[in-house]
């Protein structure tokens, strides 16, 4: 058996540093949290080469006294707790006394600090050992410079990701801290370029605009709710503004950013069915609670906490989010329509639910003619006896094909089973109804015969075709846009006034990394500084609101998973077609005829790009049956 021995102080410090300092973002987090605990109102973070070469964090907090420097860089030395009671009543971000010691164990560290703002202290540490300490002129506050991170533990470097990923990790953690402390002015710069600057005026929506961009901040809804133990407040995005991951849900417990799957799920539960699958909101959830109900000492980096009454908090969050969304819908309704007040609406709904005839399957005597004719035929064939039920038996086959079982049911099933399956080579064959075998073939030649406000009427061999003009135009626009996007040389239209697009720092970094892919669809963006791009021309396949269209397209790139650009281009074309064809319009006979002819050439003339039905065919024998021509 190998002999047991005590580890050296240098080795124990490096092991401890491995728990706390995982990457450059960990250094930034620990130093910024120390600055906040020191009562700072202004904090600036500068880093070089993804933080591996240099990280500087400067604040205007209380500073460190010269005789406290050595203790500040000693493990488990802290000014924030004194006894066991304090450990379960932590009101600060840091309390374990490991940050400075862990950082100094794996880097070169210089600290310049002053408690009064005149004469301060400058000290240097390397590999956990103090190299020097002297008096120096300094403003009130502390400046910590970390150089050559992991210089003495090179094995750690191989676990780091690409420089861009490490930069995004730093930006992400500073964003969360800024959202948790809107009353503190925070500036973040990479290689001298400012990535984030907050005003520090306590306005959360303005801070969201600094972090995510004004475009997103304008679509955020405020909320606030409390019970006996918790108070939740913050901002959440409207359902139309989503991201492809939960990463844009920030849960801040007494200002501390935490990861908690149950609380994030509670936010999603508040949205209910308002969000599409795999789409997540942008949300800032600030939770205020008595520190006695929280155990923050369960994770070395304090990213996870243990909460008392977590289920009650989840219910409170879900309720607060749901109420905020409902209130937003009500405000929109009040703005655009005059509706009876909610109390009257609820009374009407209650009357409807209590109506004993609400599920009556009998046709009303004053229904449309086709209903009358069907009812008349039933009554003639089967005279109703006095006292017989007025309800229709849905299990009895009927002649009129308007109920669940019909006499032609088995015959139709046999026909459908004999249909050939659709070819997998049709890229745009989203969903095709299986009730008509002609859908497996091309659309027959149609003759225009008239139109209503919504539908184009056409016929072929006495069969009647109803064509939804909006869906048809969107299908044709979609095909045209896909063809233009696929063109290697996309025609550009110059802008008289260039468009400047502002984004949040994380979105800016991600879009900048995909600029080459974005150029493939004809959108050319140039870095304009301060998390903005400038666009001087746009592809001619974009119609109408150019800026709105481009923002929607770039959102699609931000939500892209696994680099599936082929399907992304089709989704972009589908959204653009929907934006371009926003509603019905009066068409001439020639335009209707052209739409019918172009549909015949479409890969799927029966559905638009979103799967909505374009054409309904009514056969001649069905028309004859409606008008009782076969009796």
């Amino acid at each position: 058996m190998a002999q047991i021995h005590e580890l050296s102080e240098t080795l124990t410090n490096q092991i401890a540093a491995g728990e706390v300092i995982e990457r450059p973002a960990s250094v930034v987090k620990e130093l910024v949290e120390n600055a906040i605990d020191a009562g700072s109102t202004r904090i600036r973070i500068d880093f070089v080469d993804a933080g591996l070469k240099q990280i500087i964090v400067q604040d205007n907090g209380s500073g460190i006294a010269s005789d406290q420097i050595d203790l500040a860089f000693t493990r488990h030395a802290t000014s924030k707790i004194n006894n066991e009671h304090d450990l379960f009543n932590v009101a600060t971000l840091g309390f374990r006394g490991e940050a400075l010691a862990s950082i100094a164990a794996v880097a070169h560290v210089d600290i310049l600090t002053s408690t009064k703002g005149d004469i301060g202290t400058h000290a240097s540490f390397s590999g956990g050992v103090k190299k020097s300490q002297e008096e120096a002129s300094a403003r009130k506050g502390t400046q910590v410079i970390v150089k050559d991170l992991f210089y003495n533990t090179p094995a750690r470097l191989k676990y780091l990701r690409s420089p861009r990923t490490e930069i995004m990790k730093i930006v992400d953690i500073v964003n969360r801290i800024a959202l948790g402390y809107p009353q503190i002015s925070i500036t973040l710069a990479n290689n001298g370029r400012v990535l984030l600057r907050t005003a520090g005026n306590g306005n959360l929506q303005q801070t969201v605009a600094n972090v995510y961009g004004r475009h997103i901040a304008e679509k955020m809804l405020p909320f606030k709710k409390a019970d006996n133990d918790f108070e939740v407040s913050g901002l959440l995005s409207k359902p139309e503004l989503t991201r492809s991951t939960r990463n844009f849900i920030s849960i801040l417990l007494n200002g501390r950013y935490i990861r908690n799957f149950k609380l994030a799920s509670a936010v999603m539960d508040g949205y209910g069915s308002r969000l599409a699958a795999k789409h997540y909101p942008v949300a800032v959830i600030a939770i205020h609670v008595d520190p006695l109900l929280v155990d923050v000492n369960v994770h070395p980096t304090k990213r996870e906490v243990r909460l008392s009454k977590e289920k009650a908090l989840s219910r409170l969050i879900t309720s607060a989010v749901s109420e905020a969304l409902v209130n937003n819908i009500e405000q929109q309704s009040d703005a655009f329509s005059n509706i009876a007040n909610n109390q009257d609406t609820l009374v009407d709904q209650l009357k409807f639910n209590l109506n004993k005839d609400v599920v009556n399957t009998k046709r009303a005597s004053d229904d449309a003619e086709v209903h009358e004719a069907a009812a008349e035929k039933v009554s003639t064939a089967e005279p109703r006896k006095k006292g017989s039920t007025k309800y229709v038996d849905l299990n009895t086959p009927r002649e009129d094909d308007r109920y669940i079982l019909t006499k032609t049911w088995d015959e139709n099933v046999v026909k459908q089973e004999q249909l050939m399956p659709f070819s997998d080579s049709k890229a745009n064959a989203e969903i095709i109804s299986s009730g008509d075998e002609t859908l497996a073939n091309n659309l027959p030649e149609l003759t225009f015969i008239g139109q209503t406000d919504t539908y184009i009427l056409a016929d072929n061999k006495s069969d009647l075709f109803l064509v939804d003009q909006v869906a048809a135009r969107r299908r044709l626009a979609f095909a045209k846009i896909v063809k233009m996007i696929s063109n290697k040389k996309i025609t550009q239209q110059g802008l008289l006034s260039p468009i400047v697009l502002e984004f949040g720092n994380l979105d800016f970094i991600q879009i900048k990394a995909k600029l080459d892919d974005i150029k493939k669809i004809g959108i050319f963006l140039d870095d304009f500084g301060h998390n903005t791009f400038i666009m001087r021309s746009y592809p001619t396949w974009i119609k109408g609101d150019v800026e709105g269209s481009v923002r929607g397209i770039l959102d699609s790139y931000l939500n892209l998973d696994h680099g599936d650009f082929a399907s992304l281009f089709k989704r972009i074309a589908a959204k653009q077609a929907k934006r371009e064809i926003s509603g019905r319009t009066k068409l001439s006979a020639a335009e209707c005829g052209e739409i019918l002819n172009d549909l015949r050439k479409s890969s799927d003339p029966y559905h638009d790009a979103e799967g909505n039905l374009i054409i309904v065919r009514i056969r001649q024998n069905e028309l004859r049956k409606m008008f009782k021509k076969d009796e």
Side-chain angles (χ1 to χ4, degrees), residues 321-467:
V321 171
S322 179
E323 288 177 9
L325 295 171
V326 169
N327 290 338
N328 177 59
I329 294 173
E330 291 177 351
Q331 290 171 6
Q332 291 178 342
S333 298
D334 291 341
F336 295 108
S337 62
N338 294 321
I339 309 176
N341 65 52
N342 285 340
Q343 185 175 3
D344 293 339
T345 302
L346 291 174
V347 170
D348 292 341
Q349 183 65 48
L350 183 60
K351 289 179 180 178
F352 175 80
N353 292 338
L354 295 177
N355 184 355
K356 66 178 181 179
D357 293 329
V358 72
V359 293
N360 187 350
T361 55
K362 177 181 177 296
R363 294 182 180 85
S365 59
D366 57 349
D367 271 355
E369 291 182 8
V370 64
H371 290 192
E372 291 181 354
E376 183 180 349
K377 180 177 179 182
V378 172
S379 62
T380 303
E382 301 175 8
R384 184 190 298 175
K385 296 179 182 179
K386 185 176 181 181
S388 64
T389 178
K390 64 179 179 178
Y391 297 104
V392 174
D393 184 358
L394 298 182
N395 296 314
T396 302
R398 302 185 60 82
E399 295 283 356
D400 48 26
D401 282 358
R402 296 191 63 80
Y403 289 93
I404 303 302
L405 296 178
T406 69
K407 288 189 175 182
T408 59
W409 179 272
D410 293 334
E411 179 183 350
N412 288 340
V413 170
V414 172
K415 285 184 178 180
Q416 292 175 38
E417 289 175 347
Q418 292 174 349
L419 295 178
M420 293 295 291
F422 295 107
S423 171
D424 292 334
S425 62
K426 286 191 176 182
N428 294 319
E430 294 90 349
I431 303 173
I432 298 183
S433 302
S434 57
D436 193 336
E437 63 269 26
T438 60
L439 296 184
N441 306 317
N442 260 340
L443 181 68
E445 185 174 356
L446 301 180
T447 303
F448 171 72
I449 58 176
Q451 64 176 310
T452 67
D453 289 343
T454 307
Y455 304 104
I456 298 171
L457 280 64
D459 74 337
N460 175 270
K461 297 181 180 179
S462 299
D463 288 350
L464 178 64
F465 290 78
L466 300 179
V467 181

Side-chain angles (χ1 to χ4, degrees), residues 106-217:
V106 291
H108 303 299
V109 178
D110 285 341
I111 182 170
L112 178 63
T113 182
S114 174
T115 58
K116 297 181 179 179
D118 45 16
I119 301 299
T121 305
H122 175 262
S124 297
F125 293 80
S126 183
V129 178
K130 186 169 80 169
K131 299 297 183 180
S132 65
Q133 179 173 330
E134 60 187 357
E135 288 187 349
S137 176
R139 295 180 179 179
K140 182 181 178 182
T142 303
Q143 180 189 71
V144 179
I145 303 175
V146 180
K147 297 179 180 178
D148 303 325
L149 185 62
F150 302 136
Y151 81 97
N152 57 349
T153 54
R156 297 264 182 89
L157 296 174
K158 69 181 181 180
Y159 296 106
L160 298 180
R161 307 289 291 276
S162 67
R164 183 172 68 88
T165 300
E166 295 302 326
I167 290 172
M168 290 179 65
K169 295 284 186 182
I170 294 174
V171 171
D172 182 59
I173 196 62
V174 175
N175 284 349
R176 314 280 190 180
I177 293 173
L179 293 172
Y181 291 87
Q183 70 275 20
I184 299 177
S185 174
I186 296 177
T187 302
L188 174 66
N190 174 32
N191 294 333
R193 174 174 181 163
V194 174
L195 299 178
L196 173 68
R197 180 181 285 118
T198 65
N201 59 5
N203 187 323
L204 180 58
Q205 190 155 20
Q206 183 173 340
T207 304
V208 169
N210 298 141
V211 172
Y212 295 131
R214 179 177 54 83
H215 179 70
I216 288 180

Side-chain angles (χ1 to χ4, degrees), residues 10 34 69-70 101 157 162 185 231 255 281 317 330 380 424 442 488 490 501 579 589 614 624:
T10 300
N34 278 351
I69 295 292
D70 288 345
L157 296 174
S162 67
S185 174
E231 178 183 297
I317 291 174
E330 291 177 351
T380 303
D424 292 334
N442 260 340
K488 292 184 179 179
I490 300 175
L501 301 168
R579 183 186 290 268
I614 296 176
R624 293 181 63 85

Side-chain angles (χ1 to χ4, degrees), residues 495 499 535 537-539 542-551:
L495 288 163
I499 295 175
M535 186 174 69
S537 65
Y538 64 93
I542 293 181
K543 309 293 183 184
D545 179 10
V546 176
E547 181 175 350
S549 296
V550 171
R551 282 192 177 277

